[in-house]
Amino acid sequence: MGFIAFLLLGLIAGAIAKALMPGKQEGGWIATLVLGVIGAMVGGWLGGILLDAKLGNFWDLKSWVLAIGGSLVVLAVWGALTGKKR
């Protein structure tokens, strides 16, 4: 997968993860891109370790599931680290 395709996958995966995650998350599209790309890398890494699956082709369903799952993990960790105390 090329660099631009990986960025696009990360942006879309981050947007989907933000839509799936309950509550309100801070940040605009740049934060979504960064967290999505980090999430795609985390998803690919965890998928490689736990499931022996790697990020492959842009149109591969496995790549999308790993990227969105990784984005959800990164978004949850980011929310826990930056959450406002009441």
Side-chain angles (χ1 to χ4, degrees):
M1 182 178 333
F3 181 71
I4 300 296
F6 192 75
L7 285 179
L8 184 62
L9 175 70
L11 177 63
I12 295 171
I16 291 171
K18 273 184 132 177
L20 291 175
M21 191 70 115
K24 184 176 187 280
Q25 291 84 29
E26 300 290 326
W29 68 272
I30 293 176
T32 302
L33 172 68
V34 171
L35 291 176
V37 169
I38 293 170
M41 291 189 310
V42 167
W45 177 69
L46 286 175
I49 290 175
L50 300 175
L51 306 172
D52 197 30
K54 298 192 184 331
L55 292 177
N57 200 351
F58 182 79
W59 297 109
D60 189 13
L61 180 63
K62 179 175 46 175
S63 295
W64 284 93
V65 170
L66 289 173
I68 293 168
S71 295
L72 284 169
V73 169
V74 169
L75 194 58
V77 170
W78 181 256
L81 291 175
T82 63
K84 294 180 183 175
K85 303 202 186 240
R86 293 182 177 197

